[in-house]
Amino acid sequence: PALTACGGDADRVVVTDADSGSELTVSSGDEVEVRLESNPSTGYSWQLDTRTIDSFADVRSSDYEATGDDDRVGSAGTEVFIIEITGRGAGVLRLEYLRPFDELPIPERIVEYIIRADGAPWPPDDS
């Protein structure tokens, strides 16, 4: 499936784990908001892998939102990442749900989004 930012000056595409595998078509100045269920009390958190998009995108923020009125310790919530598109390019935004303190961190879950900014080809042209 393809998701596209639309309307206004600075657009925002919002994606969740259900959108993993989607191709996001965006423009410079747009934002990608990634919202993923998380429960930090288990030691797990989402880790960003931005290596293939570093040349055209910047992580602006990473926050945790508790779910609803549930303030109990151990309650699940949502990790929210805002990525700003700064130029033309294409790559894969990958997030891994893991315990970073483990000796050999093995992701429990992985989500990936193909990001195409300003009409860049996918797969990227390596020339």
Side-chain angles (χ1 to χ4, degrees), residues 31-107:
E31 293 178 334
V32 175
E33 178 178 326
V34 183
R35 302 182 63 82
L36 301 170
E37 290 181 15
S38 179
N39 191 340
S41 69
T42 63
Y44 283 86
S45 62
W46 287 99
Q47 306 296 309
L48 283 166
D49 179 351
T50 59
R51 288 175 289 185
T52 67
I53 65 168
D54 278 345
S55 65
F56 67 91
D58 289 328
V59 178
R60 288 291 177 223
S61 66
S62 170
D63 292 308
Y64 177 78
E65 296 176 354
T67 302
D69 299 328
D70 198 349
D71 292 336
R72 293 177 294 174
V73 173
S75 296
T78 304
E79 283 188 68
V80 181
F81 301 91
I82 305 293
I83 292 105
E84 181 182 356
I85 306 305
T86 58
R88 185 175 193 266
V92 176
L93 172 61
R94 177 184 173 103
L95 296 96
E96 299 179 343
Y97 193 61
L98 51 79
R99 293 189 314 189
F101 54 81
D102 283 348
E103 187 173 324
L104 181 60
I106 298 172

